[in-house]
Amino acid sequence: MLWHIVAGFLYSEMFIVLLMILPIFSSQTWSKLFKFSFIKQISEKSSFYFRLFLVMLVCVLAEALRNVWVLKQAYASIKEHPHEMRPETESLYLMRMFRAQRNFYITGFSLFVWLVLHRLISLLSEHAKMRASEEASIKQAQSATAAAERLLDQSKVNDSDTEDVYPDTVEALKDELLKLTKKFESEEIAHKKTKQDLETLRKQTLQTNTEYDRVTQECQKLQYRLQMLESSSTSKKAD
């Protein structure tokens, strides 16, 4: 009876996973389904139920493994005494061994599909939340764009109305802006010229300093030669 329940649980898991994998229902549909009151109450304790079924499946898997090991030991002990073994006895043990191994594989696969199902539900929930957030962001961006366009159109209308109501003021402001622009351009040209003059003066100063250093070195050389000549003439007079 236990193994029939495990097999039915496995078939149910496979059916649910198949429904989630096939492109029949969208993530929004699954999200709406998860929001039902009954399923929502279950999802609030989903971690508890997941761990509960996980522990149960692990226990059943351990029991199936124990049955396989016991039958293998019994069959090995019978094989050690071939004179006591009958054909129907061997067939009976082989049939029980097959059933124990089948139960072990069914339980193991059911445990694996349970983990896959839990992960798949988590991914679908996260994907649905991301889609909802994306749609909300798109709507917010569209509303902000529409509001900006309305403000821009309104500002254009206000500018045209201002020009119609105060034409003299607008013309005066335009003339003043033109004068200021020309003044700025002339100031910029003067600034560039002053900068060029300063650069030229800096270069001339560097050249002057270089020439001064050269002349100073030549003067030092001449003074040294003059001192040498004076010392040589003094020594000759002394002789």
Side-chain angles (χ1 to χ4, degrees):
M1 184 65 181
L2 175 63
W3 308 115
H4 290 87
I5 295 174
V6 174
F9 186 71
L10 174 62
Y11 299 149
S12 302
E13 287 177 332
M14 293 177 65
F15 178 72
I16 295 173
V17 170
L18 188 63
L19 281 179
M20 289 183 174
I21 291 175
L22 292 177
I24 300 175
F25 304 106
S26 62
S27 58
Q28 288 85 357
T29 305
W30 287 109
S31 178
K32 292 178 181 178
L33 181 64
F34 294 155
K35 289 180 181 178
F36 285 162
S37 59
F38 175 71
I39 298 179
K40 195 172 182 180
Q41 290 177 0
I42 297 176
S43 63
E44 290 176 355
K45 299 181 180 179
S46 59
S47 59
F48 170 75
Y49 290 119
F50 169 72
R51 293 173 184 173
L52 176 64
F53 280 98
L54 185 65
V55 171
M56 291 173 60
L57 288 173
V58 169
C59 292
V60 175
L61 183 66
E63 176 64 20
L65 184 61
R66 189 189 68 83
N67 289 336
V68 172
W69 184 78
V70 169
L71 288 173
K72 279 187 177 181
Q73 293 295 325
Y75 184 70
S77 64
I78 291 174
K79 291 287 286 184
E80 291 177 356
H81 304 86
H83 59 280
E84 297 180 359
M85 186 174 61
R86 298 178 181 178
E88 58 270 15
T89 305
E90 184 178 6
S91 300
L92 180 63
Y93 271 97
L94 290 176
M95 182 182 65
R96 290 180 178 177
M97 180 72 69
F98 169 75
R99 289 179 179 176
Q101 291 177 350
R102 180 200 61 187
N103 296 334
F104 174 74
Y105 294 142
I106 289 175
T107 308
F109 193 65
S110 178
L111 178 61
F112 173 73
V113 176
W114 178 247
L115 296 173
V116 172
L117 181 62
H118 180 263
R119 182 60 178 168
L120 190 59
I121 292 174
S122 301
L123 291 175
L124 283 174
S125 300
E126 291 177 2
H127 185 262
K129 291 179 182 178
M130 290 177 65
R131 287 292 299 272
S133 177
E134 181 183 359
E135 291 178 357
S137 300
I138 291 173
K139 290 181 180 179
Q140 187 176 2
Q142 289 177 351
S143 61
T145 304
E149 289 178 352
R150 287 196 300 269
L151 289 174
L152 185 61
D153 294 337
Q154 187 176 0
S155 64
K156 289 181 179 179
V157 171
N158 291 333
D159 292 340
S160 61
D161 293 340
T162 303
E163 290 182 358
D164 294 337
V165 175
Y166 305 104
D168 297 334
T169 305
V170 172
E171 290 295 330
L173 290 174
K174 287 182 179 180
D175 293 338
E176 186 68 21
L177 179 61
L178 184 60
K179 291 179 182 179
L180 291 174
T181 304
K182 291 181 178 179
K183 185 177 180 181
F184 174 75
E185 290 177 354
S186 61
E187 291 290 338
E188 188 176 5
I189 293 171
H191 176 69
K192 288 182 179 179
K193 186 177 180 181
T194 304
K195 190 175 181 180
Q196 291 176 357
D197 294 340
L198 288 174
E199 185 67 22
T200 304
L201 183 61
R202 188 180 66 83
K203 291 180 180 179
Q204 290 177 356
T205 303
L206 290 175
Q207 291 177 358
T208 303
N209 291 333
T210 305
E211 186 67 21
Y212 175 77
D213 293 337
R214 188 182 65 80
V215 172
T216 302
Q217 290 177 1
E218 290 182 356
C219 288
Q220 289 177 356
K221 290 179 181 179
L222 290 174
Q223 287 178 359
Y224 178 73
R225 290 178 63 184
L226 181 61
Q227 289 176 0
M228 292 295 293
L229 290 173
E230 288 178 354
S231 61
S232 62
S233 62
T234 304
S235 61
K236 286 180 180 180
K237 288 180 181 180
D239 293 338

